mmCIF file of all heavy atoms in Angstrom:
data_model
loop_
_atom_site.group_PDB
_atom_site.id
_atom_site.type_symbol
_atom_site.label_atom_id
_atom_site.label_comp_id
_atom_site.label_asym_id
_atom_site.label_seq_id
_atom_site.Cartn_x
_atom_site.Cartn_y
_atom_site.Cartn_z
ATOM 1 N N GLU U 378 -49.463 80.728 -30.803
ATOM 2 C CA GLU U 378 -50.074 81.681 -31.603
ATOM 3 C C GLU U 378 -50.943 80.991 -32.571
ATOM 4 O O GLU U 378 -50.720 79.788 -32.933
ATOM 5 C CB GLU U 378 -48.955 82.422 -32.497
ATOM 6 C CG GLU U 378 -49.295 83.568 -33.278
ATOM 7 C CD GLU U 378 -49.448 84.803 -32.510
ATOM 8 O OE1 GLU U 378 -49.154 84.663 -31.316
ATOM 9 O OE2 GLU U 378 -50.003 85.740 -33.120
ATOM 10 N N GLY U 379 -52.087 81.542 -33.127
ATOM 11 C CA GLY U 379 -52.850 80.917 -34.032
ATOM 12 C C GLY U 379 -53.315 81.906 -35.167
ATOM 13 O O GLY U 379 -53.644 83.074 -34.762
ATOM 14 N N ILE U 380 -53.394 81.368 -36.347
ATOM 15 C CA ILE U 380 -54.130 82.257 -37.335
ATOM 16 C C ILE U 380 -54.857 81.442 -38.292
ATOM 17 O O ILE U 380 -54.739 80.265 -38.483
ATOM 18 C CB ILE U 380 -53.022 82.975 -38.279
ATOM 19 C CG1 ILE U 380 -52.015 82.018 -38.919
ATOM 20 C CG2 ILE U 380 -52.409 84.202 -37.602
ATOM 21 C CD1 ILE U 380 -51.341 82.808 -40.064
ATOM 22 N N TYR U 381 -55.943 82.218 -38.802
ATOM 23 C CA TYR U 381 -56.831 81.618 -39.733
ATOM 24 C C TYR U 381 -57.042 82.643 -40.843
ATOM 25 O O TYR U 381 -57.666 83.801 -40.541
ATOM 26 C CB TYR U 381 -58.107 81.163 -39.064
ATOM 27 C CG TYR U 381 -59.124 80.490 -39.954
ATOM 28 C CD1 TYR U 381 -58.684 79.740 -41.040
ATOM 29 C CD2 TYR U 381 -60.419 80.557 -39.676
ATOM 30 C CE1 TYR U 381 -59.681 79.131 -41.810
ATOM 31 C CE2 TYR U 381 -61.447 79.904 -40.451
ATOM 32 C CZ TYR U 381 -60.999 79.230 -41.600
ATOM 33 O OH TYR U 381 -61.928 78.624 -42.342
ATOM 34 N N ILE U 382 -56.613 82.448 -42.089
ATOM 35 C CA ILE U 382 -56.875 83.392 -43.036
ATOM 36 C C ILE U 382 -57.583 82.720 -44.294
ATOM 37 O O ILE U 382 -57.110 81.622 -44.735
ATOM 38 C CB ILE U 382 -55.510 84.066 -43.552
ATOM 39 C CG1 ILE U 382 -54.808 84.610 -42.484
ATOM 40 C CG2 ILE U 382 -55.735 84.981 -44.702
ATOM 41 C CD1 ILE U 382 -53.343 85.038 -42.852
ATOM 42 N N ASP U 383 -58.763 83.238 -44.680
ATOM 43 C CA ASP U 383 -59.495 82.712 -45.780
ATOM 44 C C ASP U 383 -60.339 83.820 -46.336
ATOM 45 O O ASP U 383 -60.254 84.953 -45.858
ATOM 46 C CB ASP U 383 -60.238 81.539 -45.331
ATOM 47 C CG ASP U 383 -60.617 80.538 -46.536
ATOM 48 O OD1 ASP U 383 -60.416 80.972 -47.659
ATOM 49 O OD2 ASP U 383 -60.970 79.362 -46.212
ATOM 50 N N GLU U 384 -61.147 83.466 -47.403
ATOM 51 C CA GLU U 384 -62.172 84.456 -47.807
ATOM 52 C C GLU U 384 -63.300 84.604 -46.706
ATOM 53 O O GLU U 384 -63.710 83.619 -46.095
ATOM 54 C CB GLU U 384 -62.724 83.973 -49.101
ATOM 55 C CG GLU U 384 -61.650 83.921 -50.238
ATOM 56 C CD GLU U 384 -62.311 83.571 -51.543
ATOM 57 O OE1 GLU U 384 -63.494 83.667 -51.884
ATOM 58 O OE2 GLU U 384 -61.494 82.940 -52.250
ATOM 59 N N LYS U 385 -63.679 85.806 -46.491
ATOM 60 C CA LYS U 385 -64.792 86.102 -45.688
ATOM 61 C C LYS U 385 -64.684 85.511 -44.161
ATOM 62 O O LYS U 385 -65.587 85.125 -43.544
ATOM 63 C CB LYS U 385 -66.048 85.548 -46.285
ATOM 64 C CG LYS U 385 -66.498 86.049 -47.586
ATOM 65 C CD LYS U 385 -67.918 85.814 -47.967
ATOM 66 C CE LYS U 385 -68.278 86.249 -49.237
ATOM 67 N NZ LYS U 385 -67.697 85.579 -50.437
ATOM 68 N N VAL U 386 -63.466 85.652 -43.530
ATOM 69 C CA VAL U 386 -63.348 85.197 -42.190
ATOM 70 C C VAL U 386 -63.842 86.385 -41.242
ATOM 71 O O VAL U 386 -63.565 87.543 -41.491
ATOM 72 C CB VAL U 386 -61.912 84.817 -41.852
ATOM 73 C CG1 VAL U 386 -61.730 84.654 -40.346
ATOM 74 C CG2 VAL U 386 -61.494 83.607 -42.595
ATOM 75 N N SER U 387 -64.661 86.040 -40.372
ATOM 76 C CA SER U 387 -65.260 87.214 -39.557
ATOM 77 C C SER U 387 -64.921 86.911 -38.037
ATOM 78 O O SER U 387 -64.431 85.840 -37.747
ATOM 79 C CB SER U 387 -66.649 87.223 -39.684
ATOM 80 O OG SER U 387 -67.285 86.076 -39.149
ATOM 81 N N PHE U 388 -65.356 87.976 -37.263
ATOM 82 C CA PHE U 388 -65.102 87.802 -35.806
ATOM 83 C C PHE U 388 -66.023 86.597 -35.338
ATOM 84 O O PHE U 388 -65.456 86.033 -34.209
ATOM 85 C CB PHE U 388 -65.633 89.130 -35.056
ATOM 86 C CG PHE U 388 -64.768 89.379 -33.830
ATOM 87 C CD1 PHE U 388 -63.684 90.090 -33.821
ATOM 88 C CD2 PHE U 388 -65.242 88.952 -32.683
ATOM 89 C CE1 PHE U 388 -62.868 90.298 -32.763
ATOM 90 C CE2 PHE U 388 -64.498 89.064 -31.437
ATOM 91 C CZ PHE U 388 -63.346 89.766 -31.530
ATOM 92 N N ALA U 389 -67.080 86.341 -35.843
ATOM 93 C CA ALA U 389 -67.879 85.130 -35.368
ATOM 94 C C ALA U 389 -67.105 83.908 -35.567
ATOM 95 O O ALA U 389 -67.180 82.993 -34.682
ATOM 96 C CB ALA U 389 -69.227 85.106 -36.297
ATOM 97 N N ASP U 390 -66.282 83.715 -36.642
ATOM 98 C CA ASP U 390 -65.362 82.621 -36.722
ATOM 99 C C ASP U 390 -64.444 82.431 -35.633
ATOM 100 O O ASP U 390 -64.186 81.407 -35.052
ATOM 101 C CB ASP U 390 -64.686 82.615 -38.081
ATOM 102 C CG ASP U 390 -65.640 82.625 -39.186
ATOM 103 O OD1 ASP U 390 -66.583 81.833 -39.207
ATOM 104 O OD2 ASP U 390 -65.449 83.466 -40.215
ATOM 105 N N LEU U 391 -63.784 83.646 -35.305
ATOM 106 C CA LEU U 391 -62.858 83.587 -34.283
ATOM 107 C C LEU U 391 -63.513 83.206 -32.935
ATOM 108 O O LEU U 391 -62.996 82.308 -32.219
ATOM 109 C CB LEU U 391 -62.292 85.132 -34.110
ATOM 110 C CG LEU U 391 -61.472 85.421 -32.830
ATOM 111 C CD1 LEU U 391 -60.297 84.635 -32.795
ATOM 112 C CD2 LEU U 391 -61.190 86.920 -32.794
ATOM 113 N N LYS U 392 -64.650 83.677 -32.553
ATOM 114 C CA LYS U 392 -65.311 83.439 -31.340
ATOM 115 C C LYS U 392 -65.639 81.928 -31.258
ATOM 116 O O LYS U 392 -65.347 81.217 -30.302
ATOM 117 C CB LYS U 392 -66.602 84.290 -31.178
ATOM 118 C CG LYS U 392 -66.374 85.715 -30.740
ATOM 119 C CD LYS U 392 -67.629 86.577 -30.811
ATOM 120 C CE LYS U 392 -68.342 86.575 -29.531
ATOM 121 N NZ LYS U 392 -69.465 87.506 -29.494
ATOM 122 N N GLN U 393 -66.220 81.496 -32.351
ATOM 123 C CA GLN U 393 -66.588 79.988 -32.285
ATOM 124 C C GLN U 393 -65.386 79.131 -32.157
ATOM 125 O O GLN U 393 -65.394 78.054 -31.503
ATOM 126 C CB GLN U 393 -67.378 79.650 -33.700
ATOM 127 C CG GLN U 393 -68.883 80.061 -33.719
ATOM 128 C CD GLN U 393 -69.591 79.631 -32.448
ATOM 129 O OE1 GLN U 393 -69.351 78.527 -31.887
ATOM 130 N NE2 GLN U 393 -70.303 80.535 -31.887
ATOM 131 N N THR U 394 -64.295 79.483 -32.796
ATOM 132 C CA THR U 394 -63.119 78.548 -32.686
ATOM 133 C C THR U 394 -62.592 78.594 -31.251
ATOM 134 O O THR U 394 -62.269 77.543 -30.677
ATOM 135 C CB THR U 394 -61.971 79.240 -33.625
ATOM 136 O OG1 THR U 394 -62.444 79.277 -34.990
ATOM 137 C CG2 THR U 394 -60.693 78.329 -33.651
ATOM 138 N N LEU U 395 -62.609 79.800 -30.743
ATOM 139 C CA LEU U 395 -62.106 79.914 -29.342
ATOM 140 C C LEU U 395 -63.059 79.210 -28.333
ATOM 141 O O LEU U 395 -62.586 78.721 -27.310
ATOM 142 C CB LEU U 395 -61.725 81.334 -28.960
ATOM 143 C CG LEU U 395 -60.557 81.921 -29.836
ATOM 144 C CD1 LEU U 395 -60.164 83.364 -29.294
ATOM 145 C CD2 LEU U 395 -59.282 81.154 -29.668
ATOM 146 N N TYR U 396 -64.284 79.470 -28.616
ATOM 147 C CA TYR U 396 -65.302 78.684 -27.657
ATOM 148 C C TYR U 396 -64.998 77.248 -27.690
ATOM 149 O O TYR U 396 -64.938 76.556 -26.657
ATOM 150 C CB TYR U 396 -66.732 78.954 -28.186
ATOM 151 C CG TYR U 396 -67.379 80.103 -27.872
ATOM 152 C CD1 TYR U 396 -68.353 80.717 -28.771
ATOM 153 C CD2 TYR U 396 -67.209 80.845 -26.695
ATOM 154 C CE1 TYR U 396 -68.948 81.914 -28.372
ATOM 155 C CE2 TYR U 396 -67.820 82.040 -26.438
ATOM 156 C CZ TYR U 396 -68.662 82.564 -27.169
ATOM 157 O OH TYR U 396 -69.279 83.774 -26.866
ATOM 158 N N ALA U 397 -64.885 76.706 -28.868
ATOM 159 C CA ALA U 397 -64.578 75.181 -29.099
ATOM 160 C C ALA U 397 -63.338 74.913 -28.268
ATOM 161 O O ALA U 397 -63.343 73.903 -27.601
ATOM 162 C CB ALA U 397 -64.479 74.819 -30.620
ATOM 163 N N PHE U 398 -62.341 75.777 -28.547
ATOM 164 C CA PHE U 398 -61.167 75.367 -27.813
ATOM 165 C C PHE U 398 -61.297 75.296 -26.221
ATOM 166 O O PHE U 398 -60.847 74.363 -25.559
ATOM 167 C CB PHE U 398 -60.005 76.370 -28.096
ATOM 168 C CG PHE U 398 -58.852 76.507 -27.247
ATOM 169 C CD1 PHE U 398 -57.958 75.352 -27.070
ATOM 170 C CD2 PHE U 398 -58.606 77.533 -26.396
ATOM 171 C CE1 PHE U 398 -56.984 75.362 -26.214
ATOM 172 C CE2 PHE U 398 -57.529 77.530 -25.535
ATOM 173 C CZ PHE U 398 -56.757 76.493 -25.297
ATOM 174 N N VAL U 399 -61.773 76.346 -25.637
ATOM 175 C CA VAL U 399 -61.811 76.388 -24.263
ATOM 176 C C VAL U 399 -62.863 75.249 -23.708
ATOM 177 O O VAL U 399 -62.524 74.794 -22.512
ATOM 178 C CB VAL U 399 -62.337 77.772 -23.549
ATOM 179 C CG1 VAL U 399 -61.221 78.742 -23.692
ATOM 180 C CG2 VAL U 399 -63.643 78.228 -24.140
ATOM 181 N N LYS U 400 -63.790 74.936 -24.428
ATOM 182 C CA LYS U 400 -64.691 73.883 -23.854
ATOM 183 C C LYS U 400 -63.928 72.572 -23.815
ATOM 184 O O LYS U 400 -64.169 71.748 -22.835
ATOM 185 C CB LYS U 400 -66.020 73.713 -24.756
ATOM 186 C CG LYS U 400 -66.842 75.036 -24.537
ATOM 187 C CD LYS U 400 -68.309 74.627 -24.571
ATOM 188 C CE LYS U 400 -69.247 75.836 -24.521
ATOM 189 N NZ LYS U 400 -69.158 76.599 -23.265
ATOM 190 N N GLU U 401 -63.178 72.342 -24.905
ATOM 191 C CA GLU U 401 -62.357 71.142 -24.842
ATOM 192 C C GLU U 401 -61.243 71.145 -23.691
ATOM 193 O O GLU U 401 -60.917 70.145 -23.097
ATOM 194 C CB GLU U 401 -61.528 70.958 -26.184
ATOM 195 C CG GLU U 401 -62.303 70.185 -27.262
ATOM 196 C CD GLU U 401 -62.269 68.801 -27.173
ATOM 197 O OE1 GLU U 401 -61.245 68.310 -27.270
ATOM 198 O OE2 GLU U 401 -63.294 68.152 -27.219
ATOM 199 N N MET U 402 -60.766 72.379 -23.533
ATOM 200 C CA MET U 402 -59.677 72.411 -22.587
ATOM 201 C C MET U 402 -60.077 72.426 -21.161
ATOM 202 O O MET U 402 -59.458 71.807 -20.308
ATOM 203 C CB MET U 402 -58.965 73.763 -22.860
ATOM 204 C CG MET U 402 -57.563 73.980 -22.264
ATOM 205 S SD MET U 402 -56.402 72.878 -22.986
ATOM 206 C CE MET U 402 -55.213 72.636 -21.640
ATOM 207 N N PHE U 403 -61.177 73.102 -20.819
ATOM 208 C CA PHE U 403 -61.534 73.232 -19.444
ATOM 209 C C PHE U 403 -62.833 72.666 -19.108
ATOM 210 O O PHE U 403 -63.308 72.625 -17.887
ATOM 211 C CB PHE U 403 -61.679 74.781 -19.151
ATOM 212 C CG PHE U 403 -60.386 75.522 -19.190
ATOM 213 C CD1 PHE U 403 -59.958 76.234 -20.282
ATOM 214 C CD2 PHE U 403 -59.375 75.339 -18.247
ATOM 215 C CE1 PHE U 403 -58.807 76.955 -20.210
ATOM 216 C CE2 PHE U 403 -58.111 75.968 -18.171
ATOM 217 C CZ PHE U 403 -57.829 76.789 -19.327
ATOM 218 N N GLY U 404 -63.635 72.108 -20.036
ATOM 219 C CA GLY U 404 -64.827 71.481 -19.734
ATOM 220 C C GLY U 404 -66.028 72.340 -20.217
ATOM 221 O O GLY U 404 -65.937 73.583 -20.486
ATOM 222 N N ASP U 405 -67.172 71.600 -20.340
ATOM 223 C CA ASP U 405 -68.340 72.293 -20.977
ATOM 224 C C ASP U 405 -68.979 73.458 -20.066
ATOM 225 O O ASP U 405 -69.654 74.401 -20.722
ATOM 226 C CB ASP U 405 -69.512 71.305 -21.164
ATOM 227 C CG ASP U 405 -69.306 70.548 -22.330
ATOM 228 O OD1 ASP U 405 -68.664 71.093 -23.296
ATOM 229 O OD2 ASP U 405 -69.988 69.436 -22.553
ATOM 230 N N ASP U 406 -68.709 73.485 -18.812
ATOM 231 C CA ASP U 406 -69.470 74.461 -18.013
ATOM 232 C C ASP U 406 -68.508 75.711 -17.851
ATOM 233 O O ASP U 406 -68.880 76.697 -17.125
ATOM 234 C CB ASP U 406 -69.752 74.009 -16.667
ATOM 235 C CG ASP U 406 -68.611 73.311 -16.023
ATOM 236 O OD1 ASP U 406 -67.619 73.210 -16.628
ATOM 237 O OD2 ASP U 406 -68.849 72.730 -14.781
ATOM 238 N N VAL U 407 -67.416 75.824 -18.628
ATOM 239 C CA VAL U 407 -66.581 77.037 -18.517
ATOM 240 C C VAL U 407 -67.388 78.207 -19.274
ATOM 241 O O VAL U 407 -67.984 78.053 -20.146
ATOM 242 C CB VAL U 407 -65.126 76.819 -19.216
ATOM 243 C CG1 VAL U 407 -65.299 76.573 -20.689
ATOM 244 C CG2 VAL U 407 -64.250 78.002 -18.893
ATOM 245 N N GLU U 408 -67.232 79.335 -18.585
ATOM 246 C CA GLU U 408 -67.886 80.557 -19.203
ATOM 247 C C GLU U 408 -66.883 81.472 -19.825
ATOM 248 O O GLU U 408 -65.639 81.523 -19.335
ATOM 249 C CB GLU U 408 -68.667 81.306 -18.145
ATOM 250 C CG GLU U 408 -69.973 80.729 -17.750
ATOM 251 C CD GLU U 408 -70.624 81.471 -16.712
ATOM 252 O OE1 GLU U 408 -71.177 82.614 -17.090
ATOM 253 O OE2 GLU U 408 -70.814 81.049 -15.549
ATOM 254 N N VAL U 409 -67.267 82.286 -20.912
ATOM 255 C CA VAL U 409 -66.327 83.035 -21.661
ATOM 256 C C VAL U 409 -66.809 84.384 -21.849
ATOM 257 O O VAL U 409 -67.930 84.655 -21.996
ATOM 258 C CB VAL U 409 -66.152 82.327 -23.018
ATOM 259 C CG1 VAL U 409 -65.236 83.119 -23.990
ATOM 260 C CG2 VAL U 409 -65.549 80.876 -22.980
ATOM 261 N N ARG U 410 -65.851 85.348 -21.739
ATOM 262 C CA ARG U 410 -66.274 86.716 -22.282
ATOM 263 C C ARG U 410 -65.121 87.435 -22.915
ATOM 264 O O ARG U 410 -63.926 87.042 -22.702
ATOM 265 C CB ARG U 410 -66.742 87.441 -20.892
ATOM 266 C CG ARG U 410 -65.460 88.068 -20.086
ATOM 267 C CD ARG U 410 -65.981 88.927 -18.987
ATOM 268 N NE ARG U 410 -64.753 89.464 -18.239
ATOM 269 C CZ ARG U 410 -64.913 90.111 -17.235
ATOM 270 N NH1 ARG U 410 -66.032 90.275 -16.539
ATOM 271 N NH2 ARG U 410 -63.839 90.540 -16.465
ATOM 272 N N PHE U 411 -65.506 88.279 -23.853
ATOM 273 C CA PHE U 411 -64.490 89.049 -24.605
ATOM 274 C C PHE U 411 -64.442 90.364 -24.196
ATOM 275 O O PHE U 411 -65.591 91.031 -23.962
ATOM 276 C CB PHE U 411 -64.856 88.905 -26.232
ATOM 277 C CG PHE U 411 -64.583 87.524 -26.714
ATOM 278 C CD1 PHE U 411 -65.496 86.549 -26.681
ATOM 279 C CD2 PHE U 411 -63.354 87.359 -27.310
ATOM 280 C CE1 PHE U 411 -65.239 85.364 -27.204
ATOM 281 C CE2 PHE U 411 -63.092 86.029 -27.888
ATOM 282 C CZ PHE U 411 -64.056 84.996 -27.825
#
Side-chain angles (χ1 to χ4, degrees):
E378 185 81 11
I380 53 164
Y381 182 30
I382 302 173
D383 204 342
E384 291 176 33
K385 300 193 180 71
V386 173
S387 71
F388 210 92
D390 299 314
L391 167 62
K392 284 169 90 174
Q393 279 313 318
T394 305
L395 295 178
Y396 279 148
F398 161 67
V399 286
K400 291 219 183 297
E401 275 276 304
M402 191 73 207
F403 295 102
D405 273 342
D406 51 358
V407 67
E408 285 184 64
V409 175
R410 75 177 185 188
F411 287 85

